[in-house]
Amino acid sequence: MLKDKTVVLGVTGGIAVYKSVDLVSRLKKEQANVEVIMTDGAKEFVTPLTFQTMSNNVVHHKMFSEITHYDVEHISLAKKADILVIAPATANIIGKIANGISDDLLSTVVMATKAQVVLVPAMNTVMYENPIVQENMSKLKKLGYEFVNPTSGLLACGDVGSGKMSEPAEILEYIKSYFVEKDLKGVNITITAGPTIEPLDPVRYLSNKSSGKMGYSIAKNAVDRGAVVNLITGPTKLTPPEGVNLIRVDTTLEMKDAVEKYFEATDVLIKSAAPSDYRPKNVADKKIKKKIDDNELTIDFIENPDIAAYFGKKKADKIMVGFAAETNDLIENASKKIDKKNLDFIVANDVTIKGAGFDGETNLVTIIDREKNRTDYPLMDKKDVAVIILDKVKDILKTKAR
Ligand code: PMT
């Protein structure tokens, strides 16, 4: 993924430096070339040898080091960088950059580079919330510097609060996203994900096994590719991707209302959710009690709207993608849904097959288009299925633009 990319990693003096060692290791696994610049403060926590060993490169830490090769080091690093990430970024380096100070190798490279600079702050809560630090950060944001925000938690100083550096996996994800081609820039994509829940009484509901992973993967890839994304989600345990407009719903009726709200501005509607087809006719206002003299309970259900079919009728030149979760006659059943719901294509998954459908990290899908041409894909990660779906959307958008 990061082959042929040079990540210049600035490391400043904070205890979170140990996480940056892990970050270098992850970047190397993605085949990035990593050039580490350490400040004097960083060297108090970890030696350059650690980063040298992890990055397989000489570590840069002196502004005026003896010449080993005939180029000006700060200019050569600044030019070499495809992205410059500073992790951890202390209040000091943030302040220096915001005020145009370049008094060491790292701050000088920042000043000299045309690459995107990304700051990953890590500091004590009081420092992080200090108005001066906050002002410096908003100034830098306005100037186009990016931030991977810290999280809240137990800090090395014993305080609990914001200022904890993001985890290496998250920083790596950010770097990878940066290099994804922005081929869906400005396209408005609404995605439904996860299950819906239909209450029976104040403590019970009817739902299904959808985890939301398929829909969230599509949302993540769409954001990475520059789309404007509305993610309408039933209840899930997942962390939503950064940058989406997240709309949480419970019931199928609420999901339909949410789609209605965003439908007009939507270019592409992707229905990966598993909405309940029925809901209890009456929702008890008190917990349904166990009957003493009867061991049966009968609940009447009424049909929920078919959201895809409803919007399929109004779609005009919008693109609509549906899913079909089947337990038998996959192709036949999925093909019927294309016409019934007026879809551009459908992603069919047989949810009885191991590794396909609900909950897991993978899916096994067949894509069927309006002409009933089908393409079978091997078992793959849901993240890769998302790429295939959005590639197909891109192709349709191109055809429509002609
Ligand atoms: O969330 P995961 O755990 O990752 O699982 C992924 C998934 C199995 C949920 C996903 O891959 C999938 O198949 N989603 C569709 C599930 C479903 O409801 O299938 P269906 O065949 O019943 O519905 C067909 C289409 O109509 C779907 O696009 C569905 O979103 C839509 N629909 C269904 C019912 C309804 N009332 N309104 C709808 O819009």
Side-chain angles (χ1 to χ4, degrees):
M1 170 85 208
L2 296 176
K3 197 167 182 285
D4 303 326
K5 301 289 179 214
T6 293
V7 178
V8 173
L9 178 68
V11 183
T12 65
I15 186 62
V17 165
Y18 76 93
K19 289 190 187 174
S20 306
V21 178
D22 182 18
L23 176 62
V24 175
S25 155
R26 288 169 189 262
L27 286 165
K28 291 303 290 179
K29 282 188 192 131
E30 296 287 338
Q31 296 180 294
N33 173 41
V34 187
E35 301 274 357
V36 178
I37 305 174
M38 294 182 81
T39 62
D40 287 344
K43 286 188 283 176
E44 297 291 330
F45 291 90
V46 176
T47 64
L49 185 62
T50 307
F51 281 108
Q52 184 178 304
T53 313
M54 298 307 290
S55 68
N56 295 328
N57 271 330
V58 168
V59 169
H60 315 271
H61 53 97
K62 282 193 188 134
M63 183 70 196
F64 303 106
S65 52
E66 274 178 32
I67 290 174
T68 52
H69 43 274
Y70 285 88
D71 55 10
V72 181
E73 198 172 23
H74 64 276
I75 299 298
S76 123
L77 282 168
K79 280 188 184 159
K80 220 188 253 184
D82 291 304
I83 189 168
L84 196 164
V85 181
I86 305 181
T90 54
N92 183 46
I93 190 76
I94 293 169
K96 279 206 245 182
I97 302 170
N99 291 286
I101 297 168
S102 50
D103 62 352
D104 62 4
L105 184 59
L106 178 58
S107 49
T108 310
V109 172
V110 171
M111 198 66 74
T113 193
K114 285 187 177 165
Q116 178 65 56
V117 179
V118 182
L119 296 146
V120 191
M123 65 196 81
N124 162 274
T125 308
V126 181
M127 285 175 85
Y128 184 65
E129 288 170 357
N130 186 309
I132 299 173
V133 175
Q134 288 296 321
E135 198 178 305
N136 284 336
M137 289 199 301
S138 48
K139 181 176 174 185
L140 289 174
K141 280 179 194 164
K142 279 190 207 125
L143 290 168
Y145 290 77
E146 297 268 337
F147 283 79
V148 179
N149 292 326
T151 57
S152 280
L154 178 64
L155 304 171
C157 56
D159 288 357
V160 176
S162 53
K164 193 175 156 71
M165 188 169 101
S166 266
E167 294 305 314
E170 203 185 315
I171 305 167
L172 176 70
E173 203 46 58
Y174 183 95
I175 295 169
K176 281 163 69 178
S177 304
Y178 175 78
F179 290 111
V180 173
E181 194 193 338
K182 307 293 177 249
D183 56 357
L184 293 172
K185 198 167 171 35
V187 179
N188 192 308
I189 305 185
T190 298
I191 298 156
T192 67
T196 59
I197 59 172
E198 303 294 344
L200 290 161
D201 68 15
V203 295
R204 302 183 180 95
Y205 58 77
L206 176 82
S207 189
N208 60 61
K209 291 196 217 161
S210 172
S211 63
K213 283 178 190 161
M214 191 62 253
Y216 279 52
S217 299
I218 301 169
K220 167 84 173 90
N221 189 244
V223 170
D224 287 352
R225 293 166 77 160
V228 176
V229 178
N230 304 307
L231 175 59
I232 299 172
T233 175
T236 74
K237 293 192 176 118
L238 306 176
T239 307
E242 284 275 331
V244 302
N245 173 28
L246 187 77
I247 306 104
R248 290 190 192 275
V249 296
D250 281 337
T251 65
T252 297
L253 284 174
E254 286 172 12
M255 188 170 269
K256 176 175 173 269
D257 288 348
V259 175
E260 184 87 73
K261 189 169 166 201
Y262 292 96
F263 191 65
E264 203 184 318
T266 293
D267 301 311
V268 183
L269 175 61
I270 304 181
K271 295 276 304 101
S272 52
S276 300
D277 288 322
Y278 293 90
R279 66 179 184 278
K281 195 169 176 185
N282 300 303
V283 181
D285 56 358
K286 298 215 168 52
K287 186 179 166 193
I288 300 169
K289 288 279 176 216
K290 207 170 161 183
K291 293 178 192 164
I292 301 161
D293 50 358
D294 189 354
N295 61 2
E296 285 188 15
L297 173 70
T298 306
I299 294 167
D300 289 329
F301 287 93
I302 51 169
E303 203 179 0
N304 265 329
D306 185 320
I307 308 172
Y310 174 82
F311 289 100
K313 289 200 181 93
K314 306 169 52 158
K315 100 185 222 315
D317 61 349
K318 295 179 196 299
I319 295 172
M320 262 183 67
V321 179
F323 273 71
E326 305 294 341
T327 53
N328 55 284
D329 304 317
L330 179 72
I331 304 303
E332 198 189 325
N333 288 339
S335 302
K336 281 185 197 153
K337 285 177 184 171
I338 299 180
D339 299 326
K340 192 176 164 221
K341 299 174 194 245
N342 194 17
L343 305 169
D344 288 79
F345 65 91
I346 198 158
V347 184
N349 40 198
D350 182 337
V351 294
T352 62
I353 296 177
K354 197 170 178 285
F358 294 110
D359 198 25
E361 302 300 323
T362 57
N363 208 351
L364 182 68
V365 303
T366 296
I367 293 188
I368 310 169
D369 66 18
R370 287 179 79 87
E371 286 72 43
K372 310 292 169 343
N373 301 313
R374 55 181 272 205
T375 314
D376 299 316
Y377 293 91
L379 187 72
M380 53 175 81
D381 200 297
K382 283 181 178 166
K383 289 180 189 144
D384 298 321
V385 176
V387 174
I388 286 165
I389 293 169
L390 291 172
D391 281 351
K392 202 160 170 59
V393 164
K394 187 179 82 175
D395 290 346
I396 300 174
L397 281 168
K398 262 195 209 150
T399 319
K400 282 186 187 268
R402 270 188 215 134

